[in-house]
Amino acid sequence: MITLGIESSCDDTGLAIVNPNGKVLDHITSSQHEIHAQYGGIVPELASRDHVKKFIPLLSILLERNSLSIKDIHLIAFTNGPGLLGPLLVGASLSKALGWSNNIPTLEVNHLEAHIYSPMMTEENLKPPFISLLVSGGHTILSSVDLNFNIQTLGTTLDDSAGECFDKIARKLGLSYPGGPQISKRAESSFDNNFVFPRPMIKSNSYDFSFSGLKTHAINIVNQTELTNKNINNISFELQNAIVETLISKSRKASNELGISNIVITGGVSANKKLRDEFSLIKECNAYFPDIKFSTDNGAMIAYAGLLKSKTHKFTKNYKIKPNPSLTL
Ligand code: KG4
Ligand code: ZN
């Protein structure tokens, strides 16, 4: 059974094929960063149009370079939410049309779940139970995943996500979109940091996060500071440290209190080098990350999650299109 995965929840058109064992046979992603960079954030209408434009050419490339025809695909898994309505509609419509016209069943996949299981694609021995920290552009969710793949949310952000905090401060600093990688790069050139940012809710008993206070603090500092290269680097360094320390502190707390030593860190922010380095230094926990190319949105994680879901969920040839932009875990 070859599963085709289709991701289009935001600004990446991702397609991939996995074999019955969940091995990623091939994947292809077209990012829209250049289209949206000039606006400092994603323009939903432009995102939808680009998904429409890229989908068929990318599918042809993927099939051709693997000597496959659409008839070799046994299941089409696609992102049904959460995400931007337009881009989700494009992915859902194209997936269902492809399924209907070729008599292939389709399966809706929750984008958040797909992120959470993404490290299992490359970490063969990784299985639940584990603590999951999902840090993407739209979400910051701490949860526990039990042996049967039931996900229980422990805490979530009360306001902005960690990715949003990276992106908004980057924009304020005049750095391009997406901001996370830019902040990370700038932070590497900080050698004499003199800024001190808060670590939000680090002492609170709850597993929730809140990044809007940190964001406001950083914006105020940026407003009062001459934006020389040195100051941009130092602000980036301190912002990254504050976000990383906060994420690690809550994840460790969950791991200790629930007695689960494996922590799985996923979503776009999991590409952050500092976050990866700091997690790997924690002796009492085992930190797992997706392969760096599967940290940000991609079709492989959708195909993989679709395959996992197909083992426990019935899938029918139901071609109703009903994306859910505010789907949760
Ligand atoms: O998971 P993702 O690709 O899309 C959503 O589902 O939201 O996450 C995108 C987010 C953006 O906020 C981006 O700035 C952040 O991931 N990101 C990073 C890095 N790479 C991407 N944040 C920090 N460091 C990075 N290296
Ligand atoms: Zn995502």
Side-chain angles (χ1 to χ4, degrees):
M1 182 164 112
I2 291 184
T3 303
L4 170 67
I6 294 168
E7 157 62 25
S8 75
S9 64
C10 195
D11 60 341
D12 292 301
T13 316
L15 286 93
I17 41 176
V18 300
N19 76 7
N21 301 323
K23 185 176 174 345
V24 181
L25 300 175
D26 198 4
H27 65 100
I28 189 163
T29 306
S30 168
S31 149
Q32 305 175 358
H33 292 170
E34 277 175 24
I35 297 175
H36 304 288
Q38 58 184 305
Y39 303 101
I42 294 158
V43 183
E45 180 60 25
L46 296 182
S48 306
R49 287 177 195 211
D50 200 61
H51 286 304
V52 172
K53 198 165 118 192
K54 300 280 170 58
F55 184 83
I56 299 292
L58 290 178
L59 179 64
S60 305
I61 294 171
L62 187 70
L63 293 176
E64 262 169 44
R65 75 183 183 196
N66 289 281
S67 307
L68 293 171
S69 98
I70 192 68
K71 302 283 175 209
D72 298 313
I73 304 296
H74 300 99
L75 174 67
I76 299 173
F78 67 96
T79 303
N80 202 44
L84 299 168
L85 181 60
L88 285 172
L89 263 173
V90 174
S93 314
L94 290 168
S95 302
K96 295 268 178 171
L98 203 60
W100 175 78
S101 55
N102 293 285
N103 204 25
I104 306 168
T106 58
L107 192 55
E108 283 84 352
V109 167
N110 181 325
H111 179 91
L112 305 178
E113 286 184 17
H115 270 304
I116 288 176
Y117 299 128
S118 61
M120 290 168 55
M121 292 192 281
T122 38
E123 296 279 358
E124 277 176 20
N125 297 323
L126 175 63
K127 286 188 180 65
F130 52 71
I131 296 294
S132 155
L133 173 70
L134 168 60
V135 266
S136 67
H139 296 85
T140 304
I141 306 175
L142 192 62
S143 54
S144 65
V145 184
D146 77 11
L147 270 175
N148 300 316
F149 291 80
N150 295 312
I151 303 174
Q152 196 198 342
T153 300
L154 303 169
T156 179
T157 182
L158 303 174
D159 37 59
D160 292 351
S161 70
E164 226 173 320
C165 193
F166 271 120
D167 293 338
K168 291 200 172 140
I169 302 308
R171 189 176 177 186
K172 188 81 190 159
L173 288 169
L175 305 175
S176 64
Y177 178 85
Q182 302 295 325
I183 296 269
S184 170
K185 207 164 138 209
R186 287 303 200 121
E188 280 176 24
S189 306
S190 164
F191 303 108
D192 54 355
N193 171 45
N194 49 353
F195 295 98
V196 183
F197 289 179
R199 274 61 175 155
M201 292 180 72
I202 209 158
K203 298 218 167 82
S204 124
N205 248 343
S206 111
Y207 290 121
D208 286 331
F209 302 89
S210 163
F211 289 104
S212 82
L214 171 61
K215 184 187 72 182
T216 308
H217 181 91
I219 288 175
N220 289 340
I221 296 291
V222 175
N223 286 338
Q224 296 157 18
T225 308
E226 191 193 348
L227 289 184
T228 58
N229 263 329
K230 185 175 146 195
N231 283 336
I232 293 177
N233 296 345
N234 288 345
I235 289 172
S236 298
F237 177 87
E238 181 59 9
L239 178 75
Q240 176 172 265
N241 278 358
I243 294 175
V244 165
E245 270 185 41
T246 306
L247 294 173
I248 290 187
S249 149
K250 296 275 173 185
S251 308
R252 268 182 110 157
K253 177 176 149 67
S255 167
N256 289 339
E257 290 179 359
L258 276 73
I260 302 173
S261 57
N262 287 350
I263 307 181
V264 166
I265 305 104
T266 58
V269 179
S270 75
N272 185 273
K273 186 172 180 306
K274 175 88 180 166
L275 187 71
R276 288 182 175 235
D277 290 349
E278 293 294 322
F279 258 115
S280 68
L281 292 176
I282 306 173
K283 292 217 171 63
E284 74 273 16
C285 309
N286 312 309
Y288 293 92
F289 288 84
D291 188 304
I292 201 108
K293 59 182 175 290
F294 299 138
S295 275
T296 47
D297 293 348
N298 64 86
M301 68 179 194
I302 303 301
Y304 185 81
L307 180 68
L308 281 181
K309 193 175 171 182
S310 71
K311 293 179 180 162
T312 51
H313 289 67
K314 276 195 186 136
F315 52 91
T316 54
K317 289 180 183 154
N318 166 5
Y319 296 113
K320 259 196 197 145
I321 295 164
K322 227 175 157 191
N324 182 353
S326 46
L327 192 64
T328 53
L329 280 176

